[in-house]
Amino acid sequence: MRNNQAMTPHRVAVLALDRVVGLDLGTPAQVFSTARDADNAHYYAVDTCTPGARPVRSSAGFRVLPDHGLELLERADTVVVPGVHGDATLAPVEPEVIEALRAAYHRGVRIMSICTGAFVLAAAGLLDGRRATTHWAYADRFCRLHPHVDLDPDVLFVADDRVLTSAGVAAGIDLCLHVVRTDHGSQVANQAARRCVMPPWRDGGQAQYIERPVPQAPDTSTAGAREWARQRLHEPVSLRELAGQARMSVRTFTRRFRAETGLSPAQWLLHERTDHARLLLESTDLSVDQIARRSGFGTTAALRQQLHQRIGVAPSAYRRAFRRG
């Protein structure tokens, strides 16, 4: 999905349906418009469409007046379906919408959904046999309506080949930043995240946001320990040291860490080291062996194994694909 900088911007079509979620609708234009090259030229062009170019209601009490109908999908490189609110997830999807989405997919277009937009993709049959996600509060309904989809309600987003789905609301930002990172590398994605006043990558999944009967106390965050560890990725970091930074017992720290991030401390640390190694591969001339040491893996073999498990490529291949001059 990567574009040559001399080419026209990558065309993104946002398909708004009745009762569209307001934040979901604005997310693609906001995030993709902040992805720019060194000359401040936009990598993406975002337009909105509805069936028949008709106005649709939003969940926020305003109407969407689109400039395009479904014909916009015929010339799009990526199609994004924002979420629909409440009982709109139960409404039948118009046949012309299903036909347009299927035609776009079969043309090789990348298809994305935000939040309950996954219900629309599932109705079109684009999620059958695939792993996907949606807002955790709608997971049970989704599974009842679409049993042929492998739903994972714990993650922020899922990228399954050319079909990508995100969890609720703000997770659409995570998904769009992931797409920017995939298309143009971490440096562009990090710049886009800064313009959106967002972290380039959020720890854990949506499991940390699911309502629980026992609330967490506000003064028990493990954020300080996480930041301490980020400054020492090149060093051995033990669970006992992390717990000590948070002034907690190891048992209490482990429980609260998972509640806040959705990951165990060891999993989180592995993700941080992998992401740091990716950034060094993209932005420095360091050897792979040096990067393995600076990111805390110690050996090239350990880095190679983890990078392959995480994203399916070797360090040298990743550098060739994502290195920006």
Side-chain angles (χ1 to χ4, degrees):
M1 297 294 175
R2 184 174 314 207
N3 294 310
N4 187 299
Q5 294 184 18
M7 297 173 63
T8 57
H10 184 99
R11 297 162 297 186
V12 179
V14 180
L15 173 57
L17 302 179
D18 195 43
R19 304 292 304 283
V20 64
V21 177
L23 181 58
D24 295 1
L25 176 65
T27 291
Q30 180 62 46
V31 176
F32 289 130
S33 69
T34 60
R36 306 170 193 173
D37 65 15
D39 298 320
N40 210 35
H42 291 271
Y43 281 115
Y44 302 90
V46 184
D47 290 293
T48 301
C49 67
T50 65
R54 299 186 302 268
V56 296
R57 297 172 296 170
S58 80
S59 64
F62 60 83
R63 288 183 178 268
V64 180
L65 303 177
D67 292 329
H68 306 278
L70 293 176
E71 69 279 355
L72 184 67
L73 274 61
E74 297 175 3
R75 54 182 185 272
D77 302 304
T78 291
V79 173
V80 184
V81 181
V84 292
H85 184 67
D87 288 344
T89 57
L90 299 172
V93 180
E94 296 174 79
E96 57 265 38
V97 171
I98 291 177
E99 182 180 350
L101 286 171
R102 288 175 176 172
Y105 174 76
H106 290 306
R107 272 200 322 276
V109 172
R110 176 168 54 195
I111 308 290
M112 300 167 53
S113 68
I114 298 175
C115 193
T116 53
F119 282 79
V120 179
L121 300 193
L126 299 182
L127 299 183
D128 285 354
R130 293 184 183 275
R131 182 168 168 261
T133 193
T134 190
H135 194 297
W136 61 265
Y138 289 87
D140 288 344
R141 176 182 294 181
F142 187 96
C143 290
R144 288 196 304 270
L145 292 174
H146 305 290
H148 300 298
V149 180
D150 179 14
L151 189 75
D152 186 344
D154 293 332
V155 296
L156 292 176
F157 60 83
V158 172
D160 188 330
D161 192 24
R162 288 187 291 109
V163 181
L164 301 90
T165 53
S166 80
V169 198
I173 302 175
D174 296 281
L175 178 58
C176 290
L177 287 173
H178 166 76
V179 168
V180 173
R181 185 180 300 108
T182 300
D183 289 353
H184 301 289
S186 293
Q187 184 174 358
V188 174
N190 291 349
Q191 290 171 345
R194 283 193 290 270
R195 291 187 177 112
C196 294
V197 198
M198 273 284 294
W201 184 276
R202 282 196 289 168
D203 299 325
Q206 63 175 324
Q208 60 192 301
Y209 302 106
I210 296 175
E211 293 175 354
R212 293 177 172 84
V214 181
Q216 298 292 328
D219 58 349
T220 57
S221 174
T222 61
R226 295 200 299 274
E227 185 55 35
W228 177 85
R230 284 192 184 98
Q231 306 304 317
R232 293 162 176 80
L233 294 176
H234 60 289
E235 302 174 2
V237 175
S238 71
L239 179 57
R240 188 171 298 278
E241 287 176 313
L242 283 169
Q245 288 296 315
R247 295 180 174 84
M248 300 177 191
S249 69
V250 168
R251 183 176 180 181
T252 298
F253 177 82
T254 301
R255 183 176 69 252
R256 291 176 179 166
F257 193 100
R258 185 178 289 277
E260 291 182 11
T261 69
L263 299 170
S264 70
Q267 290 171 325
W268 177 87
L269 192 58
L270 196 58
H271 283 198
E272 288 292 317
R273 284 176 166 152
T274 304
D275 289 340
H276 186 56
R278 290 168 67 177
L279 180 61
L280 293 177
L281 286 167
E282 295 176 21
S283 60
T284 74
D285 292 320
L286 295 171
S287 69
V288 174
D289 186 58
Q290 289 174 312
I291 290 172
R293 291 197 299 271
R294 292 198 182 192
S295 54
F297 287 104
T299 67
T300 300
L303 172 58
R304 182 182 295 110
Q305 180 182 18
Q306 180 56 31
L307 202 62
H308 191 272
Q309 288 177 350
R310 181 87 174 272
I311 57 177
V313 298
S316 57
Y318 183 87
R319 171 170 267 170
R320 286 195 301 271
F322 289 96
R323 181 66 185 272
R324 296 298 178 205

